[in-house]
Amino acid sequence: MMRWHLCQCLPVDNLRIKFKILEETFNPYKEFELWEKVNKNSANSFFIGRVRPFDQFGNDLKKLEIVHYKGMTENYIKRYLMKISEKQDDLCIFLLHRIGFIYPNEPIILIAVSANHRGIANKYLQEILEFTKYKVPFWKKEWTFKGSSWVKKNTDLGFKL
Amino acid sequence: MESEKSNKIKVVLLSSIAEDLGWNEKFLTIEGSQMKVFSVWNLINSNLPQDNIIVSINQEITDMDAMINPDDEVAFMPMFTGG
């Protein structure tokens, strides 16, 4: 049965940023709904990243494992989110990122950004997602029915910026 | 009386590097008051290539030429693959 909980995130310095690293699965829609109730901006963007059912070589995936560097990972995310919220004073950011074992189709990441205008919400949503892929200490290991292997590089963006 | 200073550093390995070398963390004694990150890498490393390795001191990203002081925590990690 799918478990979910409403995340008790610690606000970072002000109520405009919330993030948490989770060891258990979560329901991104419930989390988003709760978060959206407390911010009153008109433009809201959100992204849900889920585990693919196959690994980097095309084999059926049993589960994905994500590890982080406790302390450093949290600090890098916190610092980055504070930096961009200082640039844009109407920005509200909500970020959840899983660690541990995650099964196909379960959520890995939820990013929600709200602002007064859609351009700002979409721009920072994309920027935060790329930041979590390339600038934060997280690593993925893929487990198949034959064994396991570390992911060497992130998947492409899917188009050219 | 002069207080006794530690000359130990903590070395942390992450992800595939920890798996390749078979350990996650160790305390090492350094000779002298400082040591280059690169020298620690040479001390602990068997034959892993140095390319694409990210290093940090006290959880701040730095480079192989940075100096480590006693009581510092130095970490070696592969490229990030989160998100």
Side-chain angles (χ1 to χ4, degrees), chain A residues 69 72 76 79 138 141, chain B residues 19 59-61 73 78 81:
Chain A
Y69 186 0
M72 182 172 168
Y76 268 60
R79 234 188 284 165
F138 286 115
K141 189 182 202 182
Chain B
E19 199 167 271
Q59 303 199 342
E60 295 292 338
I61 292 173
E73 177 175 304
T81 53

Side-chain angles (χ1 to χ4, degrees), chain A residues 68-72 76 79 97 108 132-141 150-152 154, chain B residues 12 14-17 19 54-56 58-61 73-75 77-83:
Chain A
H68 76 318
Y69 186 0
K70 194 172 171 52
M72 182 172 168
Y76 268 60
R79 234 188 284 165
H97 198 298
I108 300 172
T132 62
K133 282 192 170 291
Y134 294 102
K135 305 284 185 189
V136 187
F138 286 115
W139 299 274
K140 288 177 182 154
K141 189 182 202 182
W150 290 97
V151 174
K152 300 284 184 212
N154 275 310
Chain B
V12 177
L14 290 134
S15 178
S16 56
I17 300 177
E19 199 167 271
I54 296 170
V55 295
S56 69
N58 299 329
Q59 303 199 342
E60 295 292 338
I61 292 173
E73 177 175 304
V74 58
M77 52 198 117
M79 302 301 281
F80 307 145
T81 53

Side-chain angles (χ1 to χ4, degrees), chain A residues 66-121:
Chain A
I66 299 185
V67 298
H68 76 318
Y69 186 0
K70 194 172 171 52
M72 182 172 168
T73 305
E74 289 85 346
N75 284 334
Y76 268 60
I77 292 173
K78 179 179 158 181
R79 234 188 284 165
Y80 169 73
L81 296 181
M82 283 179 71
K83 196 175 118 195
I84 58 173
S85 78
E86 280 164 13
K87 282 198 275 185
Q88 195 68 39
D89 61 12
D90 58 338
L91 212 59
C92 291
I93 304 163
F94 183 37
L95 170 60
L96 298 177
H97 198 298
R98 276 295 314 277
I99 56 169
F101 292 114
I102 316 164
Y103 293 85
N105 211 39
E106 282 187 353
I108 300 172
I109 188 169
L110 165 70
I111 305 171
V113 177
S114 82
N116 286 329
H117 300 283
R118 68 187 185 284
I120 298 295

Side-chain angles (χ1 to χ4, degrees), chain B residues 5-57:
Chain B
K5 277 191 175 175
S6 156
N7 56 350
K8 286 190 187 306
I9 57 164
K10 185 178 178 183
V11 183
V12 177
L13 305 182
L14 290 134
S15 178
S16 56
I17 300 177
E19 199 167 271
D20 288 341
L21 295 185
W23 52 275
N24 291 93
E25 55 181 66
K26 260 183 195 177
F27 286 90
L28 294 181
T29 302
I30 59 170
E31 286 178 22
S33 58
Q34 285 190 317
M35 192 174 187
K36 268 194 177 184
V37 172
F38 184 69
S39 308
V40 179
W41 176 246
N42 280 340
L43 259 182
I44 59 153
N45 174 31
S46 50
N47 291 307
L48 292 183
Q50 190 196 319
D51 299 345
N52 297 325
I53 294 215
I54 296 170
V55 295
S56 69
I57 297 178

